[in-house]
């Protein structure tokens, strides 16, 4: 045998990453998911996509799954990680005058354009699928996450802003309260936020956090003053954007989508309290600017914003997260003065669902890579024997555990996206229908969404970090590397990017405290609990093809938790908020797994369900089968079949 060297000896065969639309059994399960009516507003069963939508959209989503793992996409990802955003001239020109032009890389911009052209946000608004628009949008997003190098972050805020503006434009009372100028500004912005034309489309920022605090924004120092004389809004020159009658001054400590064309932000007004504002980022419309031949620099001038510096971060390297000085930024108030938290909470709902989808999307990609690696990597099996990782009972047990947890988190996430879709569409396509026109069950949809959007963000994002770490470990040393040469293998990048998900848009504990407050809320709390009651009871009552293991008892568990929530003072529950949320998450996950397995008696789905209740509900563990039997069960969970 010749000595090995740099170009001789053993070289590991490269794994082949497959299209996750076909390769990921949990994804397929969610795509074709057909659960019976758990909570049936307007008699809809819980299907993440109806059979009709799944069949109509399947071809497109399948090719999208292929597109997002193309060489071109990964070249852009590598570029966006390499050519990080920077401030040209460190924020000052040669003579000390503030300049601060943000430069982003070509890869980042190309990924943004790709995402916009593929309708990553627009799908939630312009597809004719009613309530199923949302699950469809988020299932597509799930495939995109591992390839998008964080452009999903601006799109999440874009989605939130679109949802907020749609509410104001379509709700009869809210829209009647808009002035003609506001209506035009909101309508124009809404069209851009939901556009599929990258030249025309806008993403949005969301500025809440200040140095005083991100979780608690009550000490916000940014101030908005009504000064319509500087509005530049009502008789603007061609190409100028109507900038708004409010002058906003202050400092924002984190702005992630600094290259967006607009933002939604919180600021304090003289009346006291926080209000929500929409503000264009630039003074001129870049499209119109070109047409009228305005000088480029002036045409791109920021609307009273100075970028103080870019944040130096652990992950999300391609994302231009900045600190911003607001100096007479002009903006438009959205909704009633002093109701800023209520208004911006529409955005929080969307961005929290996006965060959960980003988390499971990252794990889905990590598992896809780990599955591919297990098919090509040989390891020692005692003595001289070697075997592929896919034949290792231990490695497959490890991947099966990750895969089962992933499936559970997927069900919670896509159920939440379904509830979001129902809240927007199935209630007779009424964005905010009159309460007295709703059936008792329809009335529970909003309170359920209030719970599910925070629960999904908390319960899904946090464990996803650990799951991705395990995927990284499944590749050994290669998993820890920054694999720019084979970007498709780059779990470490996805891991770093996933680590932010339990922090932004509300840390895990803050979401847990909010959830407890929502369940104890004087007006909505009882409805939230009633909605959860309905889901758990109906699921338990489902006579499907999965048996109910003795000792599982989700109805009793939920009843006990509900009694505790109702019978304990809010302040006394806070110390236990995380336990409360996790207990609730486990109960909901178990019933979703149960009905999922029960719809068709799929043995893998059943195995995932039974393992979960054995782990978490004290159900007596079944006797172990032979090593071969157990390996086959694990292979079923990991690969959805017996492995290749
Ligand atoms: O981090 C950010 C962006 C990063 C990039 C994101 C990309 C997205 C994902 C991409 C994936 C790749 S932006 C910053 C996000 N910041 C936060 O999430 C802040 C966390 N803090 C909270 O969530 C707090 O709970 C606050 C700030 C929302 C609320 O604090 P307050 O001031 O104590 O207010 P209250 O009393 O809790 O809430 C006031 C009212 C209440 O209703 P009423 O007045 O009827 O009692 C609440 O029930 O607002 C209602 N409310 C909500 N309603 C509060 N939160 C919500 C909610 N989430 N939904 C509906
Ligand atoms: P703090 O609020 O100071 O929290 C510190 C700790 O205290 C946390 O562990 C938290 O869980 C805990 N804590 C806080 N309050 C409570 C409580 N009541 N009970 C129990 N524990 C509590 N913000 C924006 O507005 N726009 C953006 O675009 C944006 N982009 C970001 C991008 C990145 C990469 C990062 C890391 C952050 C970004 N943020 C953005 C800020 C983010 O939303 C905040 O960092 C987050 O909300 C937490 O706020 P904080 O940093 O002030 O931490």
């Amino acid at each position: 045998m010749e000595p090995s060297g740099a170009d001789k000896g053993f070289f590991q065969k490269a794994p082949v990453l497959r299209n996750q639309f076909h390769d990921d059994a949990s994804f397929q399960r969610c795509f074709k998911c057909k659960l019976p009516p758990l909570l049936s507003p307007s008699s809809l069963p819980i299907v993440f996509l109806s059979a009709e939508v799944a069949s109509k959209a399947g071809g497109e989503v399948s090719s999208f799954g292929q597109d997002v793992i193309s060489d071109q996409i990964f070249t852009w990802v590598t570029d966006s990680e390499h050519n990080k955003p920077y401030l040209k001239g460190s924020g000052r020109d040669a003579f000390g005058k503030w300049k601060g032009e943000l430069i982003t890389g070509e890869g980042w911009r190309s990924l943004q354009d790709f995402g916009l052209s593929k309708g990553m946000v627009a799908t939630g608004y312009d597809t004719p699928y009613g309530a199923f628009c949302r699950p469809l949008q988020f299932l597509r997003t799930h495939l995109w996450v591992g390839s998008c190098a964080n452009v999903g972050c601006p799109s999440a805020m874009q989605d939130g802003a679109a949802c907020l503006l749609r509410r104001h434009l379509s709700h009869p009372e809210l829209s009647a309260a808009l002035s003609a100028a506001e209506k035009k500004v909101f309508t124009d912005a809404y069209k851009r936020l939901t556009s599929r034309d990258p030249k025309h489309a806008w993403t949005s920022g969301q500025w809440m956090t200040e140095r005083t605090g991100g979780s608690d924004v009550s000490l916000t120092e940014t101030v908005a003053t009504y000064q319509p004389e500087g509005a530049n809004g009502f008789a603007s020159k061609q190409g100028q954007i109507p900038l708004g009658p409010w002058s906003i001054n202050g400092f924002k400590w984190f702005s992630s989508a600094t290259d967006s064309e607009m933002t939604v932000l919180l600021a304090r007004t003289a009346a006291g309290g926080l209000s929500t504002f929409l503000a264009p980022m630039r003074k001129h419309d870049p499209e119109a600017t070109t047409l009228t031949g305005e000088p480029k620099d002036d045409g791109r001038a920021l609307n009273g914003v100075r970028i103080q510096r870019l944040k130096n971060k652990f992950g999300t390297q391609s994302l231009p997260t900045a600190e911003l000085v607001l100096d007479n930024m002009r903006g438009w108030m959205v909704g009633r003065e002093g109701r800023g938290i209520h208004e911006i909470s529409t955005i929080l709902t969307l961005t929290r669902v996006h965060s959960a989808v980003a988390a499971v999307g990252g794990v889905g990609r990590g598992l896809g890579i780990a599955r591919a690696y297990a098919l090509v990597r040989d390891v020692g099996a005692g003595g001289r024997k070697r075997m592929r990782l896919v034949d290792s009972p231990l490695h497959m047990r490890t991947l099966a555990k990750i895969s089962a947890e992933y499936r559970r988190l997927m069900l919670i996430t896509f159920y939440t996206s379904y509830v979001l879709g129902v809240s927007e569409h199935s209630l007779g396509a009424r964005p905010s229908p009159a309460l007295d026109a709703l059936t008792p069950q329809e009335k529970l949809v909003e309170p359920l969404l209030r719970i599910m959007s925070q629960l999904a963000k908390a319960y899904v994002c946090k464990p996803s970090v650990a799951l991705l770490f395990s995927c990284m470990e499944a590749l050994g040393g290669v998993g820890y590397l920054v694999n720019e040469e084979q970007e498709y293998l780059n779990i470490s990048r996805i891991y770093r990017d996933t680590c932010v998900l339990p922090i932004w848009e509300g840390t895990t504990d803050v979401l847990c405290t909010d959830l407890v407050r929502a369940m104890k809320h004087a007006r909505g709390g009882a409805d939230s609990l009633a909605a959860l009651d309905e889901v758990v009871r109906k699921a338990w009552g489902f006579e499907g093809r999965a048996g109910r293991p003795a000792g599982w008892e989700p109805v009793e568990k939920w009843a006990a938790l509900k009694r505790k929530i109702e019978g304990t003072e809010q302040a006394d529950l806070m110390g236990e908020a995380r336990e409360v949320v996790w207990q609730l998450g486990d109960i909901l996950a178990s019933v979703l797994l149960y009905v999922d397995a029960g719809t068709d008696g799929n043995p893998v789905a059943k195995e995932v369900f039974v393992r979960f209740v054995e782990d978490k509900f004290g159900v007596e563990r079944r006797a172990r089968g032979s090593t071969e039997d157990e390996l086959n069960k694990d292979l079923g969970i990991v690969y959805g079949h017996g492995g290749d």
Side-chain angles (χ1 to χ4, degrees), residues 17-83:
L17 180 65
R18 296 185 178 161
N19 180 347
Q20 284 173 256
F21 178 82
H22 301 288
D23 183 54
D24 181 335
S26 293
F27 184 89
Q28 272 293 318
R29 193 92 194 143
C30 285
F31 200 81
K32 295 183 179 149
C33 173
K34 180 155 179 39
L35 307 181
L38 291 191
L39 179 73
S40 49
S42 63
S43 75
L44 268 178
I46 302 290
V47 285
F48 297 154
L49 296 178
S50 68
E52 190 197 349
V53 176
S55 108
K56 274 192 183 153
E60 189 277 330
V61 184
S62 161
S63 30
F64 180 71
Q66 197 58 45
D67 290 346
V68 299
I69 55 170
S70 68
D71 289 347
Q72 176 61 81
I73 291 285
F74 286 122
T75 304
W76 287 334
V77 173
T78 307
D79 181 83
S80 66
E81 288 282 301
H82 246 302
N83 297 310

Side-chain angles (χ1 to χ4, degrees), residues 535-542 546-558 583 585-598 609-610 612-620:
V535 174
V536 176
R537 283 177 189 285
K538 281 203 167 165
W540 172 257
F542 172 58
R548 301 185 190 95
W552 168 37
E553 292 163 359
V555 175
E556 286 73 7
K557 281 244 158 53
W558 162 242
Q583 280 176 36
D586 285 350
I587 291 167
L588 291 173
S590 76
V591 298
L592 286 172
L593 286 167
Y594 165 69
V595 286
D596 175 40
F609 161 62
V610 174
F612 181 59
V613 293
E614 283 177 352
D615 266 0
K616 292 282 177 162
F617 286 75
V619 167
E620 193 181 338

Side-chain angles (χ1 to χ4, degrees), residues 500-523:
V500 77
L501 298 175
I503 295 176
W504 69 19
E505 294 299 352
T507 61
T508 308
D509 280 348
V510 165
L511 293 170
C512 292
T513 59
D514 177 64
L515 244 166
V516 167
R517 281 205 302 271
M519 291 192 284
K520 298 287 290 179
H521 195 276
R523 288 190 307 280

Side-chain angles (χ1 to χ4, degrees), residues 152-153 156-157 206 208-209 214-215 217 256 341-342 345 348-349 351-352 354-355 358 450 454 501 504-506 510 514 517 521 523:
C153 166
M157 299 189 276
Q206 172 195 359
M208 297 175 69
T209 309
S215 308
V217 294
S256 269
I341 297 289
H342 280 272
S345 70
L348 293 176
T349 300
T351 49
R352 287 172 183 174
H354 274 271
S355 295
R450 175 77 176 89
Q454 332 304 319
L501 298 175
W504 69 19
E505 294 299 352
V510 165
D514 177 64
R517 281 205 302 271
H521 195 276
R523 288 190 307 280

Side-chain angles (χ1 to χ4, degrees), residues 370-388:
R371 279 195 302 274
Y373 198 60
L375 294 175
V376 295
R377 182 67 172 168
D378 286 348
V379 294
R384 289 237 177 111
K385 258 178 79 185
R386 293 184 64 81
M387 64 179 164
R388 280 191 312 165

